[in-house]
Structures are given as C-alpha cells and as structure tokens.
Amino acid sequence: MTHFPSKRLPGAGAGRPAGRTLAAVVALVAALTLGAVGEGTAATSTTGGTATAAPRWTDQAHGFASLAGGTTGGAGGKVVTVTDQASLVKYAAAEEPYVIRVAGSIAVAPFGADVVVASNKTVIGVGDTGEIVHGELHLNPGTSNVVIRNLTIRDSYVEGDWDGKTTDFDAIQMDTVDHVWIDHNRFTHMGDGLLDIRKDSQYITVSNNQFTNHNKAFGIGWTPNVLTQITIDHNWFTGTKQRNPSADNCAYAHLYNNYVSAQVADGDPVWTYGNWSRGKTRMVIENSYYDGVQHPYQADATAELVQRGSILKNVSGRTDTWGTAFEPRDFYPYRLDPAAAVPTLVKRFSGPQQRIGAAVTLHVPADYPTVQAAVDAVPAGNDSPVTIAVAPGTYRAKVLIPAGKSNILLQGTGRSRSDTVIVYDTPAEYGGSTGSATVRIAANDVTARNLTFSNDFDEAAVELKGEQALAMKTTGDRIVFENTAFLGNQDTLMTDSPKLDVISRVYVRDSYIEGDVDFIYGRATTVIERSVIRALSRGSATNNGYLTAASTWTGNPYGFLITRSKVVSDAPADSFHLGRPWHPGGEPNAVAQVLFRDAELPAAVKASPWTDMSGFSWKDARFTEYRTYGPGAQVTADRPQLSATDASSFTVADYLNGTDGWAPYARR
C-alpha cells in the first residue's frame, strides 16, 4: 500500500541550505565556548574536516568498553526505580538483567557497606539527584557487562584517615571484571579510592565523571599481568592529590580530554601527581588540560607514555614521555576536542546530568526483540520518560501500551517514517474493532514519532461482516503523533476515551492518514494539523466513503479539528463525505463535533459533504467548516460555516489545553 512520504506541508518550517551553514558555525562556537548551543551538543572531532553538530553524549558505550561485543548493561531487562537500600541491593545482585534507576538519595548502612552489582546491570541516577551515600558499589570477580551512570557516590570518609589505610570504602571497586562503563558520575570524599579498577579487569571506559575532594582518586591494576584495556576521557579531577589516574601494568591506557585542576598541595614531593604510567603500562594522553598540578604526567622506566596536544598551566615537576605506546584509532574511533576547550566542556558536561537520567532508552531490536517486549519492560505506574527507539524495519506484530505505562516516546530511528513500520492484518470479524487494532495506546502521555502504523487487511480479497481494520486505537489522554503515517481502509485511526464523559486529547502533526470508510473516528478531542489525509477510492462513482465518524460527548465542545491540512483523493468528483455522526450503540449523548479549518479539499468531496448515520441526522451534529479552500470547498446550505467570532474559540489551543494547560503544539 503506497502512501505519501514524509514531507512537511508548505510553510511548516522546512529546512533551508542556509541552515546548514549556520549549524556549522554554531557547532564550532560550541566547541570553543559552549555559549550558543543547548545542553548536550558540541562540535565533532577537530581532526579531519569541518565541525558539525553532534551529540555531546549518547547512551551507547564508547572506547574500549565498546569492543569485543560491547557493553550494554541491563539492556533487554526490566526497568525498575529504587528509592531505598533494600531494593537497590535486591535488583543489583539479581541474576537477570535490570535497568536500575536510582531516585533520590539512598543512605547505605552499615557505614561503608558494599552494594554488590552483578552482571548485566545498568545502575543510573534519575535526573541529576540520584545518590548513594556512605556505601560502595562492588563488582566481584567474573562480573561482566555493567553500566554505572549519572550517580553521585559520596561521604564514606573516616575522619583522620586521609591516606585511606584503615578502611577500604571506595566509591566503586571491581576485581577481574570485563566490559564496564563508568559515565557521568560524581565521586567525592570516600574512605579509600574513589574508583578502583583492579586485578586484570578488561574492556573498561571511564568518561565524563567528576573526582573531587579526595586523596587517592583513581587507581588501575595491581597485578604483574599486562591485560587491562581502558579508555579515560572527559573527566574532571579537582581537589584530588594523586592517582588521577595511576595505571599499573595496563596493556592499553588511553587518556584524552581530561581536566586536572586545583590539585591538593600538601608539600608531598612524590605522591602528589597527575597521571602515572606504571610498570609495563602503555599510555597515550591526548588534548588534556593540567592547571595547578605537580608532576602532570610521568612514567616508570619500564612503561611507555606518549603525550600529544595537552595544555600545561601553572605546573611543576615531571612530564615524562618515552616509547611509542600504541595508536588508539587502531582500536576504535573517537572525538578529540581541542585542549583549550576542555575546562569549559568538562565543567559543563561532566558529572550527573538531568537529560541523561531523566529518560531511559530501550532499543528495538538491539536490546529488545520486539516493540512489545520493550513496552513490557517499562514498569507499571511509570512516572519518568522512557524512549523506545525502534530501528528501521517492518515489525509484523500487535502492540499494546496498557494504562499505567505512561511517559513513553515511541521513536522510529530511520530517516523517514516509512523506514519503520508496525503492521498487522486483523479485521474486526476476529475480535471486534478494538481487537483488530495493530497498535493500541491506553496509557496517558505517550508520543509516537517517525513511524508508520498499518493494518494491511485486504478488504477486497474476502467477504466478511466485520471489515473494520484499525491501524491505531487510542484511549489515553495527552497522546501525540508527530511525523507518523496511518495506513488502512475502514476505521484506520480511532481516537477514543475510556468512557463517554471522559475527555481524552490527541494531537496529530505533520502526519499522513489514509482510508475510505470512517477512517478518522471516535470520541477523543483530536487535532490533526499540518497533515495529509488521503481518501481512497472504492471504485464507486457516487459514494466512496466518509473521512470522519465522530462520537463526541455532548458535554464536550471539542471533538475533531482538522486544520492547516490537505485532503487528497483519486476518487471521482463528488463521491466522498467529510463525515457522519456516530452514536455507538445508539447513545444519544454522543453528538459529533467536527471542524475543518483552513484545510484544502479535493474535488472528490461532495457538495453536500455531511450525511446521516444509523438513523441519526447529521443536522443534529456539530459539523462546520471555516475558510476551507480547493476544488472541494464551497459554501452551500448543506455546509455550515463557523463565524469569524466563533472561530476565535475553536483554535488548536482551545481543543487541547483542557484544565492542565497541555500545549504540545507549542513544541517545535
């Protein structure tokens, strides 16, 4: 079934070539000053071409943690939110994968106790307020595939034990583990090390963290074996004395774009330092920034250290470089920011970030085999944003987002909405109209973007009593469809509510809807804006169908608003109705309200475009037009027109604002 590809209607803000030039300029400014871009973006690598806008971070591991199968943490498992120690301990130690969201501050008891994190876990702070206080995250030998992000871990320091000789209260400690990503955390004022990566741990990345107010910040190694591969980038070490980091017998240690500043100055001539390549470590340092540091970087005689592009300010002591170490780009690609930009970048983007922890992303099919599996992973009663990112492809399966699984963004990741299709072929003959729906959204606060929803039941191929075949049915409130397509024949898109006198709101923008009979219908307050509606021909010269069949509650002044949109059809002239009034089960208080406003109508639209349904007269419904145009638009006695005075009360905002001020149309 063909349909129009993604394309905004004229005047809807399509991009212009000048925008590309502006984006490049803004991105370059971002890399140097960060004053002109929003949170989370900056320039791409400074090597090999013009700077272009790119994400400052993603939810995918990079560096050595991305190799040998990669590090995905709890992806594929259930998402849970914890607010207390017992829940954190339970889920962190479980055998199955989990995405564990830490909401608020969790104080660990007894003081300095371990929270064991088992394999296949993501532990991530909600917003920028997730904290673990007085306790350590501990990864035992054999643990694999762990992501720890967006947390503050603090305050297990024992007063008077500056050297950490009496306790071992690290923020995170791991022994003989593999595939771990430590990202966007804040570590401060702990009992021994802030981060200890020990005993031949492999495929590790430590990025965008803050190490503060401590003696021994970050140590790696402590065996004679030369196995550990580690990437350390965009971290901020401030108010620390040593191990920023120290790397002992690492096969490969790649440090780039780190910022070491305000080093503790206690007069120690040896054990106050920045980076140390120890034993047989091969270390590469690139484009880092050292300000107020004794011994910025040094290497044992048995180690190798290559440094290029870093900036030294107010430093003293050793800056050793010898050997050839290794070439990081032989292992993985990476973005190298200018050293001069590092202090600004790292101060702004390191540590916990609201935009990382505020939402969780579930990838289909990389982490979850089906869209439904990802939906199932979202917890009931969900109150935080979850993105279900659906890769390009055709997914032949039904999807139900049940009530209670709110705050979901269903996002196709292809270049076009046609790249990602969710389709099934059930008619109403088998399970009723609701049962026919390919996708059902019963939850509130759900957005679908850059997707196609289809019911490809072939009504011409068989003779059935129930040929209705829904591509989409919604009953939730505050539902948004952006750049989506709905494909079907009869009853393609149903926007409904849980019961007659409950008002649900749906906003459809920059989208495409096609069908023939009653293919936009239901009782939800629904705005369709800047979209294309295609009325399919059924081969009749006189009656090919009905665009709408609203069943608006009589107490609701706002049913369907179709505005700034275009209706197209290859049906014969004067053969399509704009709508008819649907009274489900003969319900007298379902009184349709439909307004076509500033919409283009084709010649296929009848001169008398409204008609009766099941014994109910269209004249008793609330059918109007306002400033429609095109070959199918005309003013006759059978075409009620909204007055200019009344039109001021039937805007997009009037339809959608409700009592809570919902304004999805304001987001561009």
Side-chain angles (χ1 to χ4, degrees), residues 55-119:
R56 172 52 44 189
W57 59 75
T58 74
D59 61 353
Q60 305 293 313
H62 61 279
F64 278 111
S66 69
L67 304 182
T71 303
T72 57
K78 297 285 186 181
V79 179
V80 295
T81 301
V82 299
T83 58
D84 59 80
Q85 181 178 352
S87 298
L88 174 61
V89 168
K90 170 187 173 182
Y91 291 115
E95 292 185 4
E96 58 267 41
Y98 277 102
V99 176
I100 304 166
R101 308 176 73 246
V102 178
S105 183
I106 296 178
V108 174
F111 188 91
D114 292 351
V115 175
V116 174
V117 182
S119 297

Side-chain angles (χ1 to χ4, degrees), residues 157 161-165 188-194 212-218 237-244 263-264 266 268 271-273:
Y157 178 71
D161 189 21
W162 176 240
D163 289 332
K165 297 296 186 183
T188 186
H189 210 224
M190 298 298 287
D192 181 28
L194 294 176
T212 74
N213 191 20
H214 203 69
N215 182 350
K216 303 172 182 176
F218 176 7
F237 300 85
T238 184
T240 59
K241 177 182 176 181
Q242 58 179 304
R243 300 185 183 174
N244 298 293
Q263 184 182 54
V264 171
D266 60 1
D268 186 335
W271 298 103
T272 301
Y273 62 89

Side-chain angles (χ1 to χ4, degrees), residues 44-49 63-64 66-67 230-231 234 252-257 284-287 308 324-338:
T44 55
S45 171
T46 57
T47 61
F64 278 111
S66 69
L67 304 182
I230 188 165
T231 301
H234 293 90
Y252 307 108
H254 181 205
L255 286 63
Y256 68 95
N257 288 146
V284 174
I285 300 173
E286 297 182 280
N287 286 28
R308 47 186 178 248
T324 57
F326 67 103
E327 175 48 60
R329 293 190 192 277
D330 289 344
F331 294 87
Y332 52 79
Y334 57 97
R335 174 176 56 196
L336 193 59
D337 290 307

Side-chain angles (χ1 to χ4, degrees), residues 57 71 89 108 111 114 134 147 189 322 339 438-439 486 526 597:
W57 59 75
T71 303
V89 168
V108 174
F111 188 91
D114 292 351
H134 310 324
V147 174
H189 210 224
W322 45 68
T438 298
V439 177
F486 304 90
T526 303
R597 177 173 183 151

Side-chain angles (χ1 to χ4, degrees), residues 10-174:
R16 293 171 175 82
R20 292 194 293 269
T21 303
L22 178 60
V25 173
V26 170
L28 183 57
V29 172
L32 298 177
T33 69
L34 299 179
V37 288
E39 189 79 3
T41 61
T44 55
S45 171
T46 57
T47 61
T50 303
T52 56
R56 172 52 44 189
W57 59 75
T58 74
D59 61 353
Q60 305 293 313
H62 61 279
F64 278 111
S66 69
L67 304 182
T71 303
T72 57
K78 297 285 186 181
V79 179
V80 295
T81 301
V82 299
T83 58
D84 59 80
Q85 181 178 352
S87 298
L88 174 61
V89 168
K90 170 187 173 182
Y91 291 115
E95 292 185 4
E96 58 267 41
Y98 277 102
V99 176
I100 304 166
R101 308 176 73 246
V102 178
S105 183
I106 296 178
V108 174
F111 188 91
D114 292 351
V115 175
V116 174
V117 182
S119 297
N120 305 313
K121 300 293 183 298
T122 295
V123 185
I124 184 168
V126 176
D128 54 4
T129 61
E131 292 190 326
I132 297 173
V133 185
H134 310 324
E136 169 187 306
L137 297 182
H138 190 90
L139 281 61
N140 288 322
T143 301
S144 178
N145 191 31
V146 172
V147 174
I148 300 173
R149 299 189 81 195
N150 221 53
L151 291 168
T152 292
I153 306 179
R154 62 177 176 85
D155 294 333
S156 66
Y157 178 71
V158 176
E159 197 63 39
D161 189 21
W162 176 240
D163 289 332
K165 297 296 186 183
T166 61
T167 66
D168 193 16
F169 298 161
D170 302 324
I172 302 176
Q173 185 181 104
M174 60 191 78

Side-chain angles (χ1 to χ4, degrees), residues 397-446:
K398 292 190 175 186
V399 175
L400 168 63
I401 302 178
K405 296 206 173 188
S406 302
N407 299 294
I408 290 176
L409 167 60
L410 192 61
Q411 171 80 54
T413 61
R415 298 185 64 181
S416 165
R417 65 188 176 214
S418 301
D419 292 341
T420 309
V421 180
I422 301 174
V423 58
Y424 213 69
D425 60 355
T426 303
E429 182 81 1
Y430 310 121
S433 60
T434 295
S436 77
T438 298
V439 177
R440 291 167 53 199
I441 300 175
N444 297 337
D445 298 299
V446 174

